[in-house]
Amino acid sequence: MEIINRRQRMSSVSRKIRREQDRTIGLVPTMGALHEGHLSLVREARRMCDVVVVSVFVNPAQFGPTEDYEHYPRDLTKDTAILTDYNVDYIFAPSSEEMYPKDFSTYVNVGGISKPLEGERRPGHFRGVATVVSILLNTVRPDFAFFGQKDAQQAVIIKRMVRDLAFDTEIVVLPTVREDSGLAISSRNLYLSADEQDSASVIHRGLTKAKEIFKKGERHAGKLEEIVRTTIESEPRVRVDYVSVVDADTLEKLDKLDERSILIAVAAYVGKTRLIDNTLLNKAKKDASVAKA
Ligand code: AMP
């Protein structure tokens, strides 16, 4: 395994793999502090592709000025040890200066679907995400890039961007990996005490209840939102930021529900930590839990 810090080196390594060796490349973009959620993506990349590249880069462009960029967990030594065990071929771990040289001035904005949900609460977040993913895709030129359903809106935005701008990469979206309690695994769970992590599992319980009443025939989005909200608010340590029932592809808010695929997206605070989670309706396979290794 090689750790690459330079864009140019990453490009030339990838070019060689594609041209001279005719092997397929899978890219797993991450911000490090690797956990089972990331590793499910790495496993699938390993299964599908000849060469696996994992990028580890805490992207300043996707953090707002009052967000946790400075405090975001970073441990490249530990991440490297984990990825060695997973038989990854390359870690791409550039510095901020390498990714954003001094006169950097080109940003990617995916219109419409970047506006609601997280986009509304985190202005500029998806511009940062779309920009860094564009740089990564252009640097690595992977055949496949792997993303988690955990960040549902991000996955929709990346798929749209790849289609609109004709990136030559297929986007693979994999199910959310959860703790036994149901809590979606996230690097930000590290900010929570054990008690807070327990409380935070109420988010998934809320989503599960909504799914159950939907299965029983409830078709009013408002009712689903209400049951998610009241379930979460039964736990005093957790505060709902938003619950929204939207079309899973267009992210348009829904009122009456039908056969199309539906996303219930939630953001909630546990203390100062903001967590997101979601579930899909009418698309059963995509939200299945993945067994831990
Ligand atoms: P991050 O390091 O948080 O930027 O996440 C890197 C990738 O891992 C993104 O595509 C996330 O959606 C994905 N990911 C994060 N947590 C999970 C999880 N619990 N299950 C599946 N994928 C995840």
Side-chain angles (χ1 to χ4, degrees):
M1 187 176 68
E2 180 183 342
I3 302 178
I4 296 177
N5 303 118
R6 299 278 182 196
R7 277 207 217 185
Q8 212 176 13
R9 166 84 187 146
M10 188 72 250
S11 292
S12 77
V13 163
S14 300
R15 195 178 311 116
K16 247 198 188 129
I17 293 167
R18 279 192 316 276
R19 286 198 189 151
E20 294 171 19
Q21 304 168 2
D22 195 26
R23 295 195 292 165
T24 57
I25 304 177
L27 170 68
V28 181
T30 81
M31 297 206 297
L34 299 178
H35 54 59
E36 274 300 321
H38 299 117
L39 296 175
S40 71
L41 308 184
V42 173
R43 234 179 267 124
E44 185 62 6
R46 188 68 283 169
R47 201 183 65 76
M48 287 177 60
C49 307
D50 298 323
V51 175
V52 176
V53 179
V54 176
S55 61
V56 175
F57 178 62
V58 184
N59 174 30
Q62 70 187 68
F63 287 79
T66 61
E67 294 182 357
D68 55 346
Y69 175 68
E70 299 295 337
H71 298 110
Y72 196 84
R74 291 166 172 87
D75 192 343
L76 188 58
T77 309
K78 191 171 161 200
D79 291 343
T80 304
I82 294 171
L83 294 175
T84 306
D85 285 348
Y86 276 74
N87 211 11
V88 161
D89 299 282
Y90 298 95
I91 299 179
F92 180 44
S95 64
S96 293
E97 296 72 30
E98 181 68 16
M99 287 296 264
Y100 300 108
K102 226 170 65 219
D103 49 0
F104 187 95
S105 54
T106 309
Y107 292 87
V108 179
N109 185 41
V110 181
I113 52 177
S114 294
K115 287 219 174 76
L117 308 172
E118 289 302 286
E120 209 175 313
R121 273 79 183 176
R122 305 184 68 187
H125 171 65
F126 288 121
R127 183 178 96 135
V129 169
T131 302
V132 81
V133 172
S134 298
I135 301 170
L136 290 170
L137 294 181
N138 280 328
T139 305
V140 177
R141 305 270 171 129
D143 297 277
F144 299 93
F146 297 82
F147 292 85
Q149 178 60 26
K150 157 77 167 51
D151 298 281
Q153 186 173 14
Q154 169 173 283
V156 172
I157 289 169
I158 298 300
K159 279 204 244 166
R160 177 75 63 85
M161 177 187 86
V162 161
R163 188 203 69 183
D164 287 355
L165 299 184
F167 282 96
D168 193 13
T169 295
E170 187 174 321
I171 301 302
V172 180
V173 180
L174 294 169
T176 301
V177 180
R178 300 179 180 282
E179 302 285 1
D180 292 340
S181 67
L183 174 64
I185 300 181
S186 160
S187 307
R188 291 191 169 96
N189 293 354
L190 290 171
Y191 299 148
L192 304 176
S193 67
D195 280 353
E196 285 176 324
Q197 291 208 17
D198 261 7
S199 304
S201 64
V202 77
I203 299 168
H204 181 244
R205 283 202 297 285
L207 289 167
T208 306
K209 278 194 184 171
K211 203 166 191 157
E212 280 164 7
I213 65 165
F214 178 79
K215 274 193 190 140
K216 285 186 185 147
E218 180 58 65
R219 290 294 180 271
H220 288 95
K223 288 278 185 221
L224 267 53
E225 287 173 5
E226 189 185 313
I227 200 161
V228 177
R229 188 177 283 278
T230 52
T231 305
I232 295 175
E233 284 176 350
S234 70
E235 172 54 67
R237 259 196 280 248
V238 185
R239 183 167 58 82
V240 172
D241 184 5
Y242 66 80
V243 180
S244 197
V245 176
V246 299
D247 181 300
D249 301 311
T250 64
L251 305 182
E252 278 160 2
K253 204 157 166 43
L254 298 175
D255 183 15
K256 282 261 168 61
L257 307 178
D258 54 24
E259 300 305 301
R260 77 182 102 182
S261 71
I262 294 157
L263 176 76
I264 312 180
V266 176
Y269 285 94
V270 184
K272 284 196 177 120
T273 303
R274 188 171 180 280
L275 302 176
I276 57 169
D277 201 350
N278 66 83
T279 196
L280 288 168
L281 307 176
N282 291 335
K283 225 181 197 179
K285 267 167 77 184
K286 285 221 173 154
D287 198 42
S289 280
V290 168
K292 285 191 200 174

